[in-house]
Amino acid sequence: MRFEATTEIAADAEQVWAVLVDVERWPEWTASVSRVERGEPGPLAVGATATLTQPKLRPAVWRVTELTEGREFTWVSDTPGVRTRGEHRLLPLPDGRTRVELAIVQSGLLAGLIGRLYGGLLRRYVGLEAEGLRRRCERG
């Protein structure tokens, strides 16, 4: 199961990246996240963790598995029968804007069932994140 959202933001990739990786402040700009607690201090890096609390979902621990500074990061959350991967990718555009590509990808024995039960909610949350990030970055 894969749920995606894209948006173009009237801000450069460096500015968008700074907002995106400051995960503790996500609740300020997206209604899809109500609380974030980092597992350790410092900048987001491979191995870093954060517990996200989202409306209508159980809190989940996410671990960064890939990170290319200024461009993208991927993190995963494992629950019995389902691995959820969150992808966050920035593509600088020639006119100084940034294209943002977000995705939630679920795999595992129960991924199909979870996708059918929560697919609409997950699709909505990815869209809220994209739109919230755009609004936050364009606000300045």
Side-chain angles (χ1 to χ4, degrees), residues 11-82:
D12 64 34
E14 184 177 317
Q15 179 186 346
V16 176
W17 180 255
V19 173
L20 185 63
V21 296
D22 189 2
V23 297
E24 288 175 302
R25 297 185 73 177
W26 283 16
E28 296 175 11
W29 53 262
T30 180
S32 65
V33 178
S34 52
R35 184 174 180 180
V36 178
E37 294 178 58
R38 284 286 310 275
E40 53 285 307
L44 205 62
V46 171
T49 61
T51 301
L52 267 68
T53 302
Q54 298 181 270
K56 301 183 182 178
L57 297 173
R58 291 178 175 233
V61 176
W62 293 83
R63 179 175 304 280
V64 176
T65 57
E66 300 171 41
L67 187 141
T68 302
E69 187 66 34
R71 296 293 180 165
E72 64 186 301
F73 81 90
T74 299
W75 57 7
V76 298
S77 179
D78 291 309
T79 57
V82 180

